[in-house]
Amino acid sequence: MKATTYTFKKKLFKKKFLGKRVNRMMVNHPDFSEPIEFLYLKKYSREYLNNFPSIPGLLVQYAISTPNGIMYYKLEKFSEYTVDQDLFGIPSSFKKVSIDEFMDEMLDIRGLTNERE
């Protein structure tokens, strides 16, 4: 793994950002003329934006050094909601059946029940 040239220093006191309390960290890089303040949400996983392993949360404001200059990133909108569990599995309206029950239902739909018996 390539060694990082970023250095991190935690800052005291939290700040409000999009209605959330965020932690602050001052980050230095040889390409930065002065340290840049990174903001992150400690209670949210960094796995969604895993570009700085030293940051213990989800970054909401940060900068990276590129060959073309410094790129600044800032979260513009944050909305929390509970996702319907049916999006990630078998919908709750479905029923569990055995293979025999399934075959009987399929034959009934096709009108083939009399032929099977």
Side-chain angles (χ1 to χ4, degrees):
M1 184 174 164
K2 185 178 164 185
T4 182
T5 55
Y6 292 91
T7 56
F8 303 90
K9 183 179 179 188
K10 286 188 180 182
K11 294 263 312 186
L12 296 177
F13 306 109
K14 294 184 180 191
K15 191 177 196 178
K16 281 276 192 183
F17 184 84
L18 295 177
K20 299 276 185 194
R21 289 178 56 97
V22 293
N23 293 66
R24 302 168 16 179
M25 189 169 291
M26 295 307 290
V27 179
N28 211 342
H29 186 276
D31 293 342
F32 298 167
S33 59
E34 58 186 39
I36 296 176
E37 184 178 63
F38 282 25
L39 303 177
Y40 64 95
L41 292 163
K42 191 170 186 172
K43 293 182 180 181
Y44 293 87
S45 175
R46 66 182 180 84
E47 72 183 17
Y48 304 109
L49 188 66
N50 193 12
N51 52 359
F52 290 102
S54 301
I55 305 288
L58 179 65
L59 283 164
V60 294
Q61 182 176 305
Y62 65 100
I64 60 171
S65 175
T66 69
N68 297 327
I70 298 171
M71 300 278 296
Y72 292 91
Y73 294 88
K74 183 177 180 181
L75 182 69
E76 293 290 326
K77 183 179 177 184
F78 186 90
S79 57
E80 274 185 287
Y81 57 92
T82 304
V83 178
D84 185 12
Q85 73 179 27
D86 290 345
L87 292 175
F88 299 101
I90 298 171
S92 53
S93 62
F94 280 49
K95 66 178 182 177
K96 198 175 193 179
V97 295
S98 69
I99 190 68
D100 291 332
E101 291 171 323
F102 174 75
M103 290 305 294
D104 289 343
E105 285 188 35
M106 294 312 296
L107 292 174
D108 283 345
I109 289 172
R110 293 183 179 172
L112 301 173
T113 307
N114 295 337
E115 293 176 17
R116 186 172 178 211
E117 294 174 358

